Amino acid sequence: MCYASWALGLQASPQDSGGGMSMEPLWGLLQGAKRLSPRPSQTIYKHVEGTQQGCPEEEEEDGEEVTGPPVHFCAMELRGPESLGAQAGRQNLGLWAAVGRRGAAYLALTALLIFTGAFLLGYVAFRGSCQACGNDVLVVNEDVNYDPGPDSHQSTLYWSDLQAMFLRHLGEGSLENTIRQTSLRERVAGSAGMAALAQDIRAALSRQKLDHVWTDTHYVGLQFPDRAHPNTLHWVDEAGRPGEQLPLEDPDVYCPYSATGNATGELVYAHYGRSEDLQHLRAQGVEPAGRLLLVRLGVISFAQKVASAQDFGAGGVLIYPDPADFSQDPHKPGLSGQRAVYGHVHLGTGDPYTPGFPSFNQTQFPPVQSSGLPSIPAQPISADIATLLLRKIDGPVAPQEWQGRLPGSLYRLGPGPGLLLEVNNHKASTPISNIFGCIEGRSEPDHYVVIGAQRDAWGPGAAKSAVGTAILLELVRTFSSMVSNGFRPRRSLLFISWDGGDFGSVGSTEWLEGYLSLLHLKAVVYVSLDNAVLGDDKFHAKTSPLLISLIENIIKQVDSPNHSGQTLYQQVLFNNQSWDSEVIQPLPMDSSAYSFTAFAGVPAIEFSFVEDGQAYPFLHTKDDTYENLHKALRGRLPAVAQAVAQLAGLILIRLSHDHLLPLDFGRYGDVVLRHIGSLNEFSGDLKARGLTLQWVYSARGDYIRAAEKLRKEIYSSESSDERLMRMYNVRIMRVEFYFLSQYVSPADSPFRHIFLGRGDHTLGALLDHVRLLRSSGSETLGAASSKAMPGLGFQESRFRRQLALLTWTLQGAANALSGDLWNIDNNF
């Protein structure tokens, strides 16, 4: 309304018949005040023509008739009683002004009283709704107050209130007992025990307040040892005939997806089996080709060790645990010298017999196998057997950093005596089941925040999967309790128990392959609970760069499990002032979260508490029991598991509830800059060949500009605009997907991510290739390259193709982040 100038805008009633003051003007005054008081109907203003041109006219939307003399308001128009002559109007003008001034004072007082009463009533209602936490809850940051959306009927719940609610319900569970009970159950993928556990997990989810619970079954090719024909290891005499058999203490320990058959050759010690280790052997005159390699557990995965050995022409691989790689603390339990360690050797994830395709029943597959399947056999052995082998090896003494702690052994490079390795594993089509539970979001139900844990295990698997399963079930129970108390996230929460994890994240990868076209549009983030508790000294987060800022925020709010009075962030800073260099690591291929990012383009995180400098010794062995895990953590297992549950839960709340997704899309500009810094070293060598990296520089600049432009748009926008926030969220959540190369086939190169993937399209492969400018052959090929290219140096045509694949993927990410076509502004 035009509240200004009451005295000027008051129009008298026609019933006033003279210069004296009658009751009619006072009646009009009271009616005007009444019309200004709150009413159930809305008032709509419209511009009208004629004698009142320029003044808003009131219409009552509900059509209610107004009785009494009409009162009109207009800020700058003087109107007198129209039924009297001009002389009467001039005589009463002063009187009208006096009445108007008194009326303005009365109206101001009335408006103040109404406002005060409404404010107090609203405040009381606001506090009541916060404490009761009604049907719609809105998450905000600590210092930002988000207004509820137009469909919300409840008041704002601040981050501290929601955090307190989560921690209160989380404290009611019993993680330790679930870990103990789960570790006692047989749960090898495809076994009867696993089928029974799957039914129990689904029943547990069905008892909670979830909107949907279901199971997906896949029929996958898994490899198992042949009990009738166990794997063997024999000495070989000079004539090549098998001799004495070396005892493999546990015939159940094997390497899934190893090539089957026999391999004969002299023995060579190759440290961890990395490419640089095999290069060193060649430099020392010890040729790995045609030999059996003895390599230590650790640093890289089993699959990477076997792939490197195959690239260098080795005939087979024996993998053993060296005591030097584990804690020497006499107060902590250690791995027995007779224990071998299990591990698959498929250089990839998922079912290797259906690469790129989901393994649903009755699906017709092309006759192909994963390129990551090795062509040489591999077998785990114990430290005791490795000691016998090392004592027989001659040749140059291994470098000091290669020396281990096997008793009575001086580590030499070799070669040693001949060995015959026979591997008889067999493939079996096996049903596996993933179990899902979902809480639907209220505003963006089609956007999923996913959290999962591996359920299967070879052996007791206390640390490997029992801890993650227990935390997953506890989070389901906690969020279910919050739902019962009125909680409802903006985005959907998807809880998943995976099967087939010990064979290379088979369950999760098959699910991704089956629903890839859907998930890259709808999955916001994946949080993995696997390997979450392997110690209590240090905290590591293997993650996408998009989540680093969120992790920093959350660890400032979680108490350290072993440093009283400190947050986890303060514990990290105590060891290293650069918290991210202490905590953040890239996702490795043997992480269950790897496929989400490298294959599906979904940002992912897997965090772990670990021992300081030493690995948990019982992972992937039959000694990975609850008792050993409890002893290794000196009784702090419940506290550390609770800290992991808090971390995961608070991350889920932020991701599922913030109006704007807390993903730092600008971080990838720093990632590109770091890699370009490595490439700059070779700019002179490239220039001498008439080549340049300018395309990459331009694409990186366009990405940074697009990220900064989007950041400014978000900063200047209205956070209560649901449509606008959703539009921004869609662009932000797909940033990771933008870095999947669109120019290579998912079937041929499933890990298409240019920073994290494998293949010639990656930035790492380009860097490996450029290094060949200063070396020869394939000596510097790293993990990012799809395969070694023996005898080939730098190739200009290959370089140009790599540069084009990388540049256009990066440029495409910059264009997509810019939004609409007419908003793209690049200098490419």
Side-chain angles (χ1 to χ4, degrees), residues 572-606:
V572 169
L573 285 185
F574 182 80
N575 297 319
N576 192 332
Q577 291 302 308
S578 176
W579 81 272
D580 51 348
S581 63
E582 175 78 10
V583 171
I584 303 302
Q585 298 177 354
L587 284 166
M589 185 179 287
D590 57 355
S591 165
S592 62
Y594 179 82
S595 290
F596 277 84
T597 301
F599 173 72
V602 176
I605 176 175
E606 177 179 290

mmCIF file of all heavy atoms in Angstrom, residues 572-606:
data_model
loop_
_atom_site.group_PDB
_atom_site.id
_atom_site.type_symbol
_atom_site.label_atom_id
_atom_site.label_comp_id
_atom_site.label_asym_id
_atom_site.label_seq_id
_atom_site.Cartn_x
_atom_site.Cartn_y
_atom_site.Cartn_z
ATOM 1 N N VAL A 572 45.777 -33.980 13.120
ATOM 2 C CA VAL A 572 46.507 -33.997 11.856
ATOM 3 C C VAL A 572 47.539 -32.869 11.811
ATOM 4 O O VAL A 572 48.689 -33.066 11.417
ATOM 5 C CB VAL A 572 45.524 -33.884 10.673
ATOM 6 C CG1 VAL A 572 46.278 -33.630 9.375
ATOM 7 C CG2 VAL A 572 44.671 -35.139 10.563
ATOM 8 N N LEU A 573 47.130 -31.666 12.225
ATOM 9 C CA LEU A 573 48.040 -30.520 12.194
ATOM 10 C C LEU A 573 49.221 -30.690 13.134
ATOM 11 O O LEU A 573 50.288 -30.107 12.928
ATOM 12 C CB LEU A 573 47.286 -29.234 12.567
ATOM 13 C CG LEU A 573 46.362 -28.649 11.496
ATOM 14 C CD1 LEU A 573 45.787 -27.326 11.979
ATOM 15 C CD2 LEU A 573 47.094 -28.446 10.176
ATOM 16 N N PHE A 574 49.052 -31.485 14.179
ATOM 17 C CA PHE A 574 50.147 -31.707 15.136
ATOM 18 C C PHE A 574 51.333 -32.374 14.446
ATOM 19 O O PHE A 574 52.484 -32.119 14.779
ATOM 20 C CB PHE A 574 49.652 -32.576 16.294
ATOM 21 C CG PHE A 574 50.693 -32.810 17.353
ATOM 22 C CD1 PHE A 574 50.952 -31.841 18.316
ATOM 23 C CD2 PHE A 574 51.418 -33.991 17.389
ATOM 24 C CE1 PHE A 574 51.911 -32.049 19.283
ATOM 25 C CE2 PHE A 574 52.382 -34.209 18.362
ATOM 26 C CZ PHE A 574 52.630 -33.236 19.315
ATOM 27 N N ASN A 575 51.046 -33.235 13.461
ATOM 28 C CA ASN A 575 52.109 -33.940 12.739
ATOM 29 C C ASN A 575 52.589 -33.184 11.510
ATOM 30 O O ASN A 575 53.734 -33.328 11.090
ATOM 31 C CB ASN A 575 51.617 -35.329 12.319
ATOM 32 C CG ASN A 575 51.278 -36.205 13.512
ATOM 33 O OD1 ASN A 575 51.987 -36.207 14.499
ATOM 34 N ND2 ASN A 575 50.177 -36.951 13.417
ATOM 35 N N ASN A 576 51.710 -32.387 10.906
ATOM 36 C CA ASN A 576 52.062 -31.712 9.657
ATOM 37 C C ASN A 576 51.173 -30.486 9.505
ATOM 38 O O ASN A 576 49.956 -30.597 9.506
ATOM 39 C CB ASN A 576 51.874 -32.664 8.470
ATOM 40 C CG ASN A 576 52.481 -32.130 7.193
ATOM 41 O OD1 ASN A 576 52.589 -30.925 6.996
ATOM 42 N ND2 ASN A 576 52.878 -33.035 6.308
ATOM 43 N N GLN A 577 51.785 -29.319 9.372
ATOM 44 C CA GLN A 577 51.004 -28.086 9.259
ATOM 45 C C GLN A 577 50.217 -28.016 7.956
ATOM 46 O O GLN A 577 49.268 -27.253 7.847
ATOM 47 C CB GLN A 577 51.935 -26.867 9.379
ATOM 48 C CG GLN A 577 52.516 -26.676 10.768
ATOM 49 C CD GLN A 577 51.433 -26.525 11.825
ATOM 50 O OE1 GLN A 577 50.522 -25.698 11.699
ATOM 51 N NE2 GLN A 577 51.518 -27.326 12.878
ATOM 52 N N SER A 578 50.624 -28.778 6.967
ATOM 53 C CA SER A 578 49.862 -28.855 5.722
ATOM 54 C C SER A 578 48.931 -30.062 5.847
ATOM 55 O O SER A 578 49.312 -31.193 5.529
ATOM 56 C CB SER A 578 50.801 -29.005 4.525
ATOM 57 O OG SER A 578 50.067 -29.179 3.335
ATOM 58 N N TRP A 579 47.720 -29.819 6.303
ATOM 59 C CA TRP A 579 46.830 -30.936 6.636
ATOM 60 C C TRP A 579 46.526 -31.813 5.420
ATOM 61 O O TRP A 579 46.473 -33.037 5.537
ATOM 62 C CB TRP A 579 45.516 -30.402 7.225
ATOM 63 C CG TRP A 579 44.538 -29.936 6.178
ATOM 64 C CD1 TRP A 579 44.448 -28.699 5.628
ATOM 65 C CD2 TRP A 579 43.555 -30.746 5.531
ATOM 66 N NE1 TRP A 579 43.468 -28.675 4.663
ATOM 67 C CE2 TRP A 579 42.897 -29.916 4.588
ATOM 68 C CE3 TRP A 579 43.147 -32.073 5.642
ATOM 69 C CZ2 TRP A 579 41.864 -30.380 3.780
ATOM 70 C CZ3 TRP A 579 42.131 -32.536 4.827
ATOM 71 C CH2 TRP A 579 41.498 -31.692 3.917
ATOM 72 N N ASP A 580 46.359 -31.198 4.243
ATOM 73 C CA ASP A 580 45.964 -31.997 3.084
ATOM 74 C C ASP A 580 47.092 -32.902 2.598
ATOM 75 O O ASP A 580 46.845 -34.011 2.115
ATOM 76 C CB ASP A 580 45.449 -31.114 1.948
ATOM 77 C CG ASP A 580 46.385 -29.988 1.604
ATOM 78 O OD1 ASP A 580 47.317 -29.743 2.381
ATOM 79 O OD2 ASP A 580 46.189 -29.348 0.553
ATOM 80 N N SER A 581 48.351 -32.461 2.723
ATOM 81 C CA SER A 581 49.455 -33.334 2.334
ATOM 82 C C SER A 581 49.579 -34.515 3.283
ATOM 83 O O SER A 581 50.084 -35.580 2.908
ATOM 84 C CB SER A 581 50.770 -32.551 2.302
ATOM 85 O OG SER A 581 51.101 -32.068 3.591
ATOM 86 N N GLU A 582 49.113 -34.358 4.506
ATOM 87 C CA GLU A 582 49.120 -35.438 5.498
ATOM 88 C C GLU A 582 47.962 -36.404 5.296
ATOM 89 O O GLU A 582 48.088 -37.612 5.520
ATOM 90 C CB GLU A 582 49.050 -34.837 6.903
ATOM 91 C CG GLU A 582 48.930 -35.841 8.042
ATOM 92 C CD GLU A 582 50.254 -36.497 8.389
ATOM 93 O OE1 GLU A 582 51.303 -36.046 7.895
ATOM 94 O OE2 GLU A 582 50.235 -37.463 9.154
ATOM 95 N N VAL A 583 46.822 -35.900 4.839
ATOM 96 C CA VAL A 583 45.589 -36.685 4.830
ATOM 97 C C VAL A 583 45.185 -37.151 3.435
ATOM 98 O O VAL A 583 44.812 -38.310 3.236
ATOM 99 C CB VAL A 583 44.435 -35.855 5.459
ATOM 100 C CG1 VAL A 583 43.100 -36.546 5.264
ATOM 101 C CG2 VAL A 583 44.707 -35.618 6.935
ATOM 102 N N ILE A 584 45.228 -36.257 2.439
ATOM 103 C CA ILE A 584 44.614 -36.525 1.135
ATOM 104 C C ILE A 584 45.512 -37.387 0.261
ATOM 105 O O ILE A 584 46.703 -37.112 0.100
ATOM 106 C CB ILE A 584 44.284 -35.202 0.424
ATOM 107 C CG1 ILE A 584 43.358 -34.342 1.293
ATOM 108 C CG2 ILE A 584 43.649 -35.481 -0.927
ATOM 109 C CD1 ILE A 584 42.048 -35.002 1.656
ATOM 110 N N GLN A 585 44.923 -38.434 -0.316
ATOM 111 C CA GLN A 585 45.610 -39.321 -1.246
ATOM 112 C C GLN A 585 44.698 -39.594 -2.438
ATOM 113 O O GLN A 585 43.475 -39.534 -2.316
ATOM 114 C CB GLN A 585 45.973 -40.654 -0.562
ATOM 115 C CG GLN A 585 46.911 -40.517 0.616
ATOM 116 C CD GLN A 585 47.182 -41.854 1.303
ATOM 117 O OE1 GLN A 585 46.582 -42.873 0.966
ATOM 118 N NE2 GLN A 585 48.095 -41.844 2.256
ATOM 119 N N PRO A 586 45.267 -39.912 -3.606
ATOM 120 C CA PRO A 586 44.416 -40.266 -4.758
ATOM 121 C C PRO A 586 43.788 -41.638 -4.554
ATOM 122 O O PRO A 586 44.302 -42.471 -3.796
ATOM 123 C CB PRO A 586 45.391 -40.255 -5.937
ATOM 124 C CG PRO A 586 46.731 -40.533 -5.315
ATOM 125 C CD PRO A 586 46.704 -39.901 -3.959
ATOM 126 N N LEU A 587 42.685 -41.878 -5.237
ATOM 127 C CA LEU A 587 42.014 -43.170 -5.143
ATOM 128 C C LEU A 587 42.830 -44.234 -5.881
ATOM 129 O O LEU A 587 43.094 -44.092 -7.079
ATOM 130 C CB LEU A 587 40.619 -43.085 -5.757
ATOM 131 C CG LEU A 587 39.546 -42.386 -4.924
ATOM 132 C CD1 LEU A 587 38.335 -42.067 -5.792
ATOM 133 C CD2 LEU A 587 39.137 -43.242 -3.733
ATOM 134 N N PRO A 588 43.238 -45.318 -5.199
ATOM 135 C CA PRO A 588 43.952 -46.400 -5.898
ATOM 136 C C PRO A 588 42.974 -47.356 -6.551
ATOM 137 O O PRO A 588 41.791 -47.407 -6.198
ATOM 138 C CB PRO A 588 44.713 -47.087 -4.759
ATOM 139 C CG PRO A 588 43.838 -46.889 -3.553
ATOM 140 C CD PRO A 588 43.150 -45.557 -3.742
ATOM 141 N N MET A 589 43.460 -48.151 -7.495
ATOM 142 C CA MET A 589 42.576 -49.057 -8.216
ATOM 143 C C MET A 589 41.985 -50.132 -7.313
ATOM 144 O O MET A 589 40.876 -50.619 -7.560
ATOM 145 C CB MET A 589 43.321 -49.703 -9.376
ATOM 146 C CG MET A 589 42.434 -50.583 -10.251
ATOM 147 S SD MET A 589 43.282 -51.336 -11.644
ATOM 148 C CE MET A 589 43.480 -49.912 -12.698
ATOM 149 N N ASP A 590 42.682 -50.514 -6.234
ATOM 150 C CA ASP A 590 42.145 -51.559 -5.372
ATOM 151 C C ASP A 590 41.156 -51.012 -4.345
ATOM 152 O O ASP A 590 40.686 -51.752 -3.473
ATOM 153 C CB ASP A 590 43.268 -52.323 -4.666
ATOM 154 C CG ASP A 590 44.179 -51.410 -3.846
ATOM 155 O OD1 ASP A 590 43.997 -50.183 -3.905
ATOM 156 O OD2 ASP A 590 45.071 -51.934 -3.155
ATOM 157 N N SER A 591 40.797 -49.742 -4.443
ATOM 158 C CA SER A 591 39.750 -49.171 -3.598
ATOM 159 C C SER A 591 38.393 -49.412 -4.247
ATOM 160 O O SER A 591 38.239 -49.301 -5.463
ATOM 161 C CB SER A 591 39.968 -47.664 -3.420
ATOM 162 O OG SER A 591 38.802 -47.042 -2.908
ATOM 163 N N SER A 592 37.396 -49.738 -3.426
ATOM 164 C CA SER A 592 36.054 -49.948 -3.971
ATOM 165 C C SER A 592 35.456 -48.661 -4.522
ATOM 166 O O SER A 592 34.507 -48.695 -5.306
ATOM 167 C CB SER A 592 35.137 -50.509 -2.878
ATOM 168 O OG SER A 592 35.004 -49.593 -1.808
ATOM 169 N N ALA A 593 36.003 -47.516 -4.119
ATOM 170 C CA ALA A 593 35.499 -46.226 -4.600
ATOM 171 C C ALA A 593 36.077 -45.855 -5.966
ATOM 172 O O ALA A 593 35.569 -44.939 -6.623
ATOM 173 C CB ALA A 593 35.822 -45.131 -3.587
ATOM 174 N N TYR A 594 37.126 -46.551 -6.397
ATOM 175 C CA TYR A 594 37.830 -46.177 -7.619
ATOM 176 C C TYR A 594 36.914 -46.204 -8.838
ATOM 177 O O TYR A 594 36.912 -45.286 -9.661
ATOM 178 C CB TYR A 594 39.022 -47.112 -7.823
ATOM 179 C CG TYR A 594 39.816 -46.849 -9.080
ATOM 180 C CD1 TYR A 594 40.788 -45.855 -9.124
ATOM 181 C CD2 TYR A 594 39.611 -47.607 -10.230
ATOM 182 C CE1 TYR A 594 41.530 -45.618 -10.265
ATOM 183 C CE2 TYR A 594 40.341 -47.386 -11.379
ATOM 184 C CZ TYR A 594 41.300 -46.385 -11.403
ATOM 185 O OH TYR A 594 42.030 -46.155 -12.546
ATOM 186 N N SER A 595 36.115 -47.271 -8.980
ATOM 187 C CA SER A 595 35.267 -47.404 -10.168
ATOM 188 C C SER A 595 34.238 -46.294 -10.259
ATOM 189 O O SER A 595 33.873 -45.869 -11.362
ATOM 190 C CB SER A 595 34.557 -48.756 -10.156
ATOM 191 O OG SER A 595 35.477 -49.799 -10.375
ATOM 192 N N PHE A 596 33.763 -45.822 -9.107
ATOM 193 C CA PHE A 596 32.769 -44.754 -9.139
ATOM 194 C C PHE A 596 33.327 -43.518 -9.827
ATOM 195 O O PHE A 596 32.637 -42.862 -10.616
ATOM 196 C CB PHE A 596 32.308 -44.418 -7.721
ATOM 197 C CG PHE A 596 31.234 -45.318 -7.208
ATOM 198 C CD1 PHE A 596 31.543 -46.533 -6.632
ATOM 199 C CD2 PHE A 596 29.898 -44.961 -7.309
ATOM 200 C CE1 PHE A 596 30.558 -47.386 -6.162
ATOM 201 C CE2 PHE A 596 28.898 -45.795 -6.847
ATOM 202 C CZ PHE A 596 29.233 -47.011 -6.272
ATOM 203 N N THR A 597 34.576 -43.190 -9.542
ATOM 204 C CA THR A 597 35.169 -41.979 -10.121
ATOM 205 C C THR A 597 35.786 -42.248 -11.485
ATOM 206 O O THR A 597 35.497 -41.547 -12.456
ATOM 207 C CB THR A 597 36.224 -41.405 -9.169
ATOM 208 O OG1 THR A 597 35.609 -41.094 -7.914
ATOM 209 C CG2 THR A 597 36.839 -40.142 -9.740
ATOM 210 N N ALA A 598 36.650 -43.266 -11.579
ATOM 211 C CA ALA A 598 37.407 -43.495 -12.821
ATOM 212 C C ALA A 598 36.541 -44.077 -13.924
ATOM 213 O O ALA A 598 36.797 -43.841 -15.103
ATOM 214 C CB ALA A 598 38.584 -44.416 -12.545
ATOM 215 N N PHE A 599 35.490 -44.836 -13.568
ATOM 216 C CA PHE A 599 34.633 -45.463 -14.569
ATOM 217 C C PHE A 599 33.331 -44.692 -14.778
ATOM 218 O O PHE A 599 32.925 -44.442 -15.912
ATOM 219 C CB PHE A 599 34.323 -46.904 -14.155
ATOM 220 C CG PHE A 599 33.308 -47.592 -15.026
ATOM 221 C CD1 PHE A 599 33.634 -47.976 -16.314
ATOM 222 C CD2 PHE A 599 32.031 -47.864 -14.563
ATOM 223 C CE1 PHE A 599 32.704 -48.612 -17.129
ATOM 224 C CE2 PHE A 599 31.096 -48.492 -15.359
ATOM 225 C CZ PHE A 599 31.434 -48.880 -16.654
ATOM 226 N N ALA A 600 32.673 -44.301 -13.678
ATOM 227 C CA ALA A 600 31.347 -43.687 -13.784
ATOM 228 C C ALA A 600 31.360 -42.168 -13.682
ATOM 229 O O ALA A 600 30.340 -41.527 -13.949
ATOM 230 C CB ALA A 600 30.420 -44.261 -12.710
ATOM 231 N N GLY A 601 32.474 -41.565 -13.280
ATOM 232 C CA GLY A 601 32.519 -40.112 -13.180
ATOM 233 C C GLY A 601 31.743 -39.559 -12.002
ATOM 234 O O GLY A 601 31.211 -38.447 -12.076
ATOM 235 N N VAL A 602 31.700 -40.307 -10.905
ATOM 236 C CA VAL A 602 31.029 -39.867 -9.681
ATOM 237 C C VAL A 602 32.100 -39.605 -8.621
ATOM 238 O O VAL A 602 32.906 -40.497 -8.335
ATOM 239 C CB VAL A 602 30.046 -40.936 -9.161
ATOM 240 C CG1 VAL A 602 29.416 -40.510 -7.842
ATOM 241 C CG2 VAL A 602 28.968 -41.231 -10.202
ATOM 242 N N PRO A 603 32.171 -38.418 -8.040
ATOM 243 C CA PRO A 603 33.191 -38.169 -7.003
ATOM 244 C C PRO A 603 33.014 -39.132 -5.841
ATOM 245 O O PRO A 603 31.888 -39.427 -5.434
ATOM 246 C CB PRO A 603 32.949 -36.719 -6.587
ATOM 247 C CG PRO A 603 31.583 -36.382 -7.072
ATOM 248 C CD PRO A 603 31.323 -37.238 -8.268
ATOM 249 N N ALA A 604 34.119 -39.637 -5.308
ATOM 250 C CA ALA A 604 34.051 -40.671 -4.272
ATOM 251 C C ALA A 604 35.118 -40.431 -3.225
ATOM 252 O O ALA A 604 36.106 -39.730 -3.464
ATOM 253 C CB ALA A 604 34.213 -42.056 -4.891
ATOM 254 N N ILE A 605 34.898 -41.051 -2.061
ATOM 255 C CA ILE A 605 35.850 -40.946 -0.964
ATOM 256 C C ILE A 605 35.884 -42.256 -0.200
ATOM 257 O O ILE A 605 34.856 -42.912 -0.019
ATOM 258 C CB ILE A 605 35.483 -39.784 0.000
ATOM 259 C CG1 ILE A 605 36.433 -39.750 1.190
ATOM 260 C CG2 ILE A 605 34.044 -39.894 0.472
ATOM 261 C CD1 ILE A 605 36.228 -38.583 2.127
ATOM 262 N N GLU A 606 37.083 -42.651 0.204
ATOM 263 C CA GLU A 606 37.281 -43.788 1.104
ATOM 264 C C GLU A 606 38.280 -43.348 2.163
ATOM 265 O O GLU A 606 39.405 -42.969 1.835
ATOM 266 C CB GLU A 606 37.811 -45.004 0.348
ATOM 267 C CG GLU A 606 38.099 -46.206 1.240
ATOM 268 C CD GLU A 606 38.604 -47.407 0.455
ATOM 269 O OE1 GLU A 606 37.801 -47.988 -0.294
ATOM 270 O OE2 GLU A 606 39.795 -47.738 0.592
#
